[in-house]
Amino acid sequence: MSYPGYPPSDGYPAFPGYPPTGQESVYPPAGQYTYPAVPGGYPPAGGGTYPAAPPSTGFPGAGYPAPGCYPGAPQAGGMPPYPGVGFPGGQAPSPMPGPPAAMVQGTQGTIRAAADFDAGRDAEILRKAMKGFGTDEQAIIDVVANRSNDQRQKIKAAFKTMYGKDLIKDLKSELSGNVEELILALFMPSTYYDAWSLRHAMKGAGTQESVLIEILCTRTNQEIREIVNCYKSEFGRDIEQDIRADTSGHFERLLISMCQGNRDENQTVDYQKAQEDAQRLYQAGEGRLGTDESCFNMVLASRSFPQLKATVEAYSRIANRDLLSSIDREFSGNVERGLKTIVQCALNRPAFFAERLYHSMKGAGTDDSTLIRIVVTRSEIDLVQIKQMFTQMYQKTLATMIASDTSGDYRRLLLAIVGQ
């Protein structure tokens, strides 16, 4: 069965310019960039363990088919953000005056479920906004930017019950361009949107490797397993086979490892193992002629993110160089970007997404699909922290940069999601 309003493997919503072409994420060369610290860093003073990741918020299926596709909303970003350690210069910058420690150590989205929610009332508002001559885009924005993904699914179901029409088809007929892509993305269940993005990154000529890296190297085990199941049920395809057909070599093997969703999620750090892994990575790279790529793949694909952070710290002491710099020296191309993404997420996940957002808008033109995808997928997880990191890293707010790079209803909806 197919997802209501979205064709399965034989067709896709007509999103303009999706996926983007030739706009890979560009990471600054080693030695030119210092990753920021997050207030309230880890590990706790005197040792101890990392707090457990926040539980899943729960995500009712809202009557949609393919049980593997929509069982749960993304967990809250996996691990809390970590301070930058061992980066060029040897010291992370001082943290900016911060929010309460509870907010820093947890995660928080800019969109939360509306308290006084009535799916039927919202469906009626959307119907009136699209009925007759012209479209009341502001009314649509006011609804979709202030409802959780779960609530949007209920609005979609109520719309079909009340009017016998498909809300997605109506929205597509009334909207166009980037605002259409953004609103349709908001109405996709979270797991489906990730699976849809991966399918489009590999569909047709060329491959958008940056999309594969962004999704597969940053999601939690549960999220990845749900994405893999959704990919199969909705598009009738095996994601591993598609990855093998579209990628090769060490990059292919890294993505296949990510697809297993088997990363250790024990939040207790084994500092002895961190020391051993750091020594192993050094011997596989800087400490030898050539590189043992499989060693890097094994450690970075299997260890928990808190464990990897401890390994990065130990590596800096052993190699007198940070691990990101060593990866930059030992690898190139997509596998380099994938490995660095894993390390960056272990150290500071919000900063990784802040950097992606910055590069989507930096310079001439805007990589709108990357901007939309990150704003939508992180809006209920950690967009508050991403905004804080963005300001610290680039001395401007995310909202300011969005406002200068976008226009019209597209700008208004993005700013409504991001918040000022």
Side-chain angles (χ1 to χ4, degrees), residues 37-44 49-55 75-84 101-108 218 220 265-267 269 304-307 309 342-353 378 381-382 385-386 388-389:
V38 176
Y42 294 93
T49 61
Y50 295 85
Q75 289 180 316
M79 292 304 303
Y82 301 111
M103 181 185 296
V104 172
Q105 295 183 7
T107 52
Q108 183 182 344
T218 66
T220 66
E265 291 189 332
N266 181 359
Q267 303 306 299
V269 174
S304 72
F305 285 116
Q307 185 69 34
K309 179 187 174 294
I342 295 169
V343 173
Q344 288 169 325
C345 283
L347 294 170
N348 190 324
R349 190 187 309 263
F352 165 76
F353 285 111
R378 310 314 292 184
I381 300 175
D382 54 1
Q385 283 75 23
I386 291 168
Q388 293 165 352
M389 287 297 100

Side-chain angles (χ1 to χ4, degrees), residues 215-346:
I215 295 174
L216 293 176
C217 293
T218 66
R219 303 305 194 244
T220 66
N221 286 349
Q222 179 184 339
E223 288 166 357
I224 286 176
R225 290 169 187 166
E226 291 172 359
I227 290 165
V228 169
N229 290 337
C230 182
Y231 195 94
K232 179 71 172 178
S233 62
E234 287 301 308
F235 308 119
R237 304 179 67 90
D238 184 281
I239 194 169
E240 286 189 27
Q241 292 181 6
D242 281 357
I243 287 171
R244 288 192 176 97
D246 275 56
T247 62
S248 61
H250 299 296
F251 182 53
E252 172 194 330
R253 288 192 276 280
L254 179 64
L255 293 183
I256 295 298
S257 293
M258 295 296 99
C259 283
Q260 306 314 302
N262 282 330
R263 181 181 298 282
D264 179 18
E265 291 189 332
N266 181 359
Q267 303 306 299
T268 303
V269 174
D270 182 335
Y271 291 98
Q272 179 61 37
K273 179 188 282 188
Q275 183 73 19
E276 293 168 359
D277 281 347
Q279 186 66 45
R280 185 179 289 122
L281 291 172
Y282 178 74
Q283 295 299 334
E286 297 279 1
R288 59 173 283 173
L289 185 64
T291 307
D292 180 359
E293 294 89 355
S294 64
C295 178
F296 280 81
N297 193 101
M298 183 275 290
V299 172
L300 296 185
S302 62
R303 305 295 190 248
S304 72
F305 285 116
Q307 185 69 34
L308 284 178
K309 179 187 174 294
T311 300
V312 170
E313 294 170 335
Y315 186 91
S316 296
R317 294 190 293 270
I318 291 171
N320 290 320
R321 174 191 309 282
D322 67 88
L323 184 55
L324 281 179
S325 176
S326 289
I327 291 172
D328 193 57
R329 287 158 59 94
E330 299 290 326
F331 294 87
S332 63
N334 292 314
V335 67
E336 175 197 341
R337 285 195 287 272
L339 293 171
K340 288 167 75 172
T341 294
I342 295 169
V343 173
Q344 288 169 325
C345 283

